[in-house]
Amino acid sequence: MNGAPYTIEKNDIAFCTPDKMVKHVMMSPDFRGNICGCSAKFAQCIFPNSADLWNKIFYMNRNFKIHLSDEEAGELQEDYRFLKRKIIRIDHIYYEETMRCLLQAFLYQTADVLGKHIPETETEPGTEEDTLQSRHQLCQAFIDLLSSTKPVPRSVQWYADRLCKTPRYLSTAVKRASGKTASEWIHEALTREVADALKNSPKSIKEISDELEFPNLSFFGRYCRQRLGLSPSEFRQQKKNTK
């Protein structure tokens, strides 16, 4: 996930937001897992305006997975099975309203379980002028903008202008909410975009450099060496050799 290896085992719960890139998945023959996902638009409809829940979301965003007890995993699986039975009842006259309520209830139940595994220091309240809720909402808006804009804009100013904040305020809020600055988020997203293009695009390195709006091929080469540890051609060849 985002270039780092993870092993998912029994009773693990993993949380994946749109800015995450998951690749090279291998599963054991006896693997069984449950997936629950929704569009960003629907998530905005069901997600309560709660600083406590935002805290849990951003904790999971930084930690990716949490190991649950048998009891906790069993409880969530029971709720999941109930949800799975109801989600196919599209003939229900109040289908959308029912699913919105059920998914929100499932979200609260999941947050309750996660809360038992999150250190108290992660959920301390903020000041009135700079609440966790406002920081997390701004950070989420930044991440949504970052994950939906291609090619990835490299300037914090670009995001700050669209979110009606100063670059300094945006970067500080994102850092406090997520543990990483806005620039770090931007360069991580850009590095994934560069790596993905070099691995999967049939275009030439020059075409990729232009498409991703690098000023010139020399700058693109330096960026790849700095972020990927290899030149664009070396990185592309290495990935071909590992296929």
Side-chain angles (χ1 to χ4, degrees), residues 121-178:
T121 54
E122 296 284 344
T123 56
E124 292 176 355
T127 65
E128 289 185 8
E129 297 143 21
D130 189 19
T131 64
L132 285 171
Q133 181 176 341
S134 62
R135 293 202 305 264
H136 288 172
Q137 286 175 333
L138 178 58
C139 186
Q140 186 61 54
F142 165 73
I143 292 173
D144 288 344
L145 189 58
L146 177 63
S147 61
S148 63
T149 309
K150 305 297 178 188
V152 173
R154 268 153 266 176
S155 167
V156 176
Q157 181 74 59
W158 187 91
Y159 300 90
D161 288 345
R162 281 149 186 80
L163 296 171
C164 301
K165 304 294 180 183
T166 65
R168 182 177 179 181
Y169 182 88
L170 175 62
S171 195
T172 300
V174 170
K175 173 72 173 178
R176 290 180 178 177
S178 68

Side-chain angles (χ1 to χ4, degrees), residues 14 21 24 26 48 54 74 91 97 128 136 145 157 165 168 184 189 200 203 214 217 228 232-233 236 243:
M21 184 180 292
H24 308 302
M26 294 187 295
W54 277 108
D91 58 332
E97 292 82 358
E128 289 185 8
H136 288 172
L145 189 58
Q157 181 74 59
K165 304 294 180 183
R168 182 177 179 181
E184 288 172 329
N200 302 312
K203 296 179 179 179
F214 281 85
L217 192 56
L228 300 174
S233 58
R236 173 170 270 184
K243 286 184 179 180

Side-chain angles (χ1 to χ4, degrees), residues 176-243:
R176 290 180 178 177
S178 68
K180 292 187 289 190
T181 65
S183 291
E184 288 172 329
W185 278 101
I186 291 167
H187 284 292
E188 284 184 10
L190 179 59
T191 301
R192 290 194 300 272
E193 190 173 40
V194 167
D196 185 61
L198 290 174
K199 285 188 292 184
N200 302 312
S201 174
K203 296 179 179 179
S204 70
I205 292 174
K206 175 67 166 61
E207 289 173 320
I208 291 173
S209 174
D210 291 341
E211 189 176 75
L212 298 182
E213 298 182 354
F214 281 85
N216 53 59
L217 192 56
S218 177
F219 188 93
F220 181 62
R222 290 197 301 272
Y223 188 88
C224 288
R225 290 187 186 91
Q226 179 185 6
R227 303 294 301 189
L228 300 174
L230 298 168
S231 70
S233 58
E234 288 171 339
F235 183 83
R236 173 170 270 184
Q237 187 59 44
Q238 182 190 65
K239 292 305 173 182
K240 286 181 180 178
N241 294 338
T242 57
K243 286 184 179 180

Side-chain angles (χ1 to χ4, degrees), residues 80-116:
Y80 179 91
R81 286 192 289 268
F82 177 78
L83 188 60
K84 191 175 179 180
R85 289 198 303 271
K86 294 297 183 181
I87 206 167
I88 60 174
R89 291 288 309 277
I90 58 175
D91 58 332
H92 195 295
I93 189 173
Y94 299 112
Y95 178 76
E96 290 188 11
E97 292 82 358
T98 300
M99 291 314 305
R100 190 178 299 115
C101 292
L102 289 177
L103 282 165
Q104 195 172 66
F106 184 69
L107 175 65
Y108 273 119
Q109 181 61 32
T110 304
D112 177 66
V113 171
L114 294 179
K116 299 169 186 174

